[in-house]
Amino acid sequence: MTDSPDFAGFERAGIEAALSDLGVPAFHGRQIFRWIHARDVTDFAVMTDLPHRLRDRLAESAVVTTPVLEARQTSTDGTTKFLLRLTDDRQIESVFIPDTPSQTFCVSTQVGCAMNCAFCLTGRMGLVRHLTAAEIVGQVRVLARETGLRGQPFNIVLMGMGEPLHNYDETMKALRILADPQGLAVHPRRVTLSTVGLLPALERLAGESLMPNLAVSLHATTDEQRNALVPINRKYSMEQLIDACRRFPLAKRRRITFEYVLLAGVNDSPADARRLVTALDGIRAKVNLLPLNEAPAIPFSRPDDTRVDAFAKILADRGVTVSVRKSRGRDIRAACGQLIVEGARRSAGQRLAGQLG
Ligand code: SAH
């Protein structure tokens, strides 16, 4: 690690401000931002439209970090899992999910997670640390480069490791950097933020001008159930969460996605399905059912397909838009709850586990 400012984590205005501190004209900030985010060039020496002296000065006083690609694994369905190493040698995973029908990058916002949901492997690690905006955007830069999609449309889902609203400031900064038309130009409409529903942060999100799509991990229909599955519910009840969703300012034709992991015999009964319909009454909602991706460390099982279909049908028959998430990349453990980093440095405490959709 170094104390030099990391230009990869600055918004364009931030680079301009850093330059003006050095007495350098602001327009060079725009050039540098473009080099980093539009062209994926991180070596100041190669930024040929900058004066030589500036390149030398920057090389001495600033850095542009990028997660290092350590390994990749491609599933039979084309889903590709990328293992990335950060500057402190911690590892994270990001996943490319092709043709769904869009191209989608699934990125992490934390190393580990503090939410400890009962069926999620990442929760087992606890929170190791938040990612910086540079590291969140860096995952997208690496994936765009590796998939050849730079300059082409793709979607981003914040559904990797971590709870994005627990790392609010760096996550929102990353979204602003990604949205900048001088850089990767990923419009927030193409970004989905998935959250357990940290209430104060959700209220704050409601006031943002750059608004991603919202997905809420509900997973239950009573407080008793949700307390057991999503521990943060003990602090912010389902009623408070649903109220906040009801108030959430949705853009035209936008809806909130409610994610609902299906656990056999726990939350997958017809009565659960009917309660879910009632809970979402009056909200512009769609429901994404996630049949559990099983793992030995997860003490639940996946309902069979007929049970999943029956649950979905109850929602659909009552006018709720519902989809069942097809599990992608299961053979390489890149699916939700199956993202497991098994690096060379693995030890009991370091076994990094994550969940991706
Ligand atoms: N912290 C955010 C992002 C988590 S990952 C959130 O909770 O929304 C995206 C989704 O995958 C969440 O809905 C999460 O609950 C779900 N998930 C986690 N483990 C899973 C598993 N083993 N099987 C299926 N879905 C899982």
Side-chain angles (χ1 to χ4, degrees):
M1 293 285 254
T2 141
D3 290 336
S4 305
D6 184 358
F7 276 22
F10 283 174
E11 292 168 62
R12 182 152 41 105
I15 298 184
E16 288 167 358
L19 293 185
S20 85
D21 288 347
L22 298 172
V24 174
F27 74 93
H28 289 312
R30 177 164 166 269
Q31 292 171 312
I32 295 169
F33 188 90
R34 284 192 59 79
W35 278 111
I36 300 172
H37 297 287
R39 302 184 196 168
D40 197 31
V41 168
T42 57
D43 180 358
F44 291 115
V46 188
M47 301 185 182
T48 46
D49 53 3
L50 300 180
H52 269 290
R53 276 198 34 223
L54 177 58
R55 288 186 239 168
D56 293 344
R57 271 176 87 187
L58 290 174
E60 282 162 23
S61 61
V63 294
V64 185
T65 64
T66 305
V68 177
L69 178 56
E70 295 246 283
R72 111 181 50 199
Q73 244 183 318
T74 299
S75 156
T76 48
D77 65 23
T79 300
T80 305
K81 180 168 79 162
F82 296 89
L83 171 62
L84 306 176
R85 182 165 42 82
L86 307 174
T87 49
D88 63 354
D89 283 341
R90 303 228 186 260
Q91 294 173 318
I92 50 170
E93 289 188 332
S94 318
V95 177
F96 168 55
I97 308 151
D99 311 320
T100 53
S102 318
Q103 315 303 323
T104 303
F105 297 165
C106 180
V107 307
S108 298
T109 53
Q110 296 176 318
V111 183
C113 185
M115 297 301 121
N116 200 21
C117 297
F119 48 82
C120 175
L121 285 179
T122 304
R124 298 297 156 88
M125 296 172 66
L127 177 65
V128 178
R129 70 168 174 85
H130 296 303
L131 296 184
T132 63
E135 290 165 335
I136 298 169
V137 176
Q139 295 169 68
V140 178
R141 276 198 287 118
V142 171
L143 266 61
R145 183 220 299 148
E146 295 300 322
T147 57
L149 285 173
R150 195 167 58 235
Q152 291 175 51
F154 53 80
N155 295 342
I156 297 172
V157 293
L158 304 181
M159 296 187 186
M161 302 169 76
E163 165 51 47
L165 292 187
H166 187 206
N167 184 16
Y168 191 93
D169 291 335
E170 293 300 303
T171 297
M172 294 313 293
K173 190 180 188 192
L175 297 190
R176 291 191 296 272
I177 295 171
L178 288 166
D180 193 317
Q182 297 293 331
L184 284 151
V186 184
H187 195 279
R189 262 198 302 272
R190 289 192 157 272
V191 179
T192 299
L193 185 153
S194 177
T195 177
V196 291
L198 293 179
L199 263 256
L202 193 58
E203 311 268 358
R204 207 174 147 198
L205 184 68
E208 293 283 345
S209 48
L210 268 189
M211 183 71 79
N213 299 304
L214 181 62
V216 173
S217 291
L218 196 61
H219 304 323
T221 55
T222 66
D223 274 321
E224 194 188 356
Q225 249 180 3
R226 197 164 191 266
N227 286 347
L229 298 176
V230 184
I232 196 73
N233 196 72
R234 297 170 202 162
K235 188 155 178 195
Y236 310 114
S237 70
M238 267 193 57
E239 191 185 346
Q240 289 174 296
L241 174 58
I242 298 275
D243 269 357
C245 291
R246 221 178 280 286
R247 288 195 307 273
F248 199 80
L250 284 173
K252 261 198 199 121
R253 284 191 289 279
R254 293 279 143 183
R255 285 184 285 181
I256 298 179
T257 301
F258 288 88
E259 294 161 285
Y260 193 98
V261 66
L262 285 168
L263 311 170
V266 175
N267 65 354
D268 65 339
S269 72
D272 286 306
R274 288 191 295 269
R275 268 197 302 271
L276 184 56
V277 174
T278 309
L280 300 182
D281 188 39
I283 302 182
R284 271 152 60 199
K286 53 186 170 183
V287 171
N288 194 3
L289 298 175
L290 321 172
L292 177 74
N293 285 308
E294 296 176 313
I298 300 176
F300 299 101
S301 53
R302 177 194 186 96
D304 59 34
D305 288 351
T306 49
R307 187 97 169 155
V308 173
D309 290 346
F311 195 99
K313 188 165 186 304
I314 291 172
L315 301 188
D317 285 349
R318 286 159 179 75
V320 176
T321 306
V322 56
S323 58
V324 179
R325 187 182 292 179
K326 257 204 341 208
S327 187
R328 309 261 307 192
R330 282 173 87 190
D331 54 330
I332 57 165
R333 289 190 288 185
C336 283
Q338 298 210 322
L339 229 190
I340 302 178
V341 179
E342 290 169 302
R345 301 180 323 110
R346 183 172 93 149
S347 67
Q350 256 178 348
R351 188 161 169 274
L352 303 193
Q355 82 299 314
L356 288 173

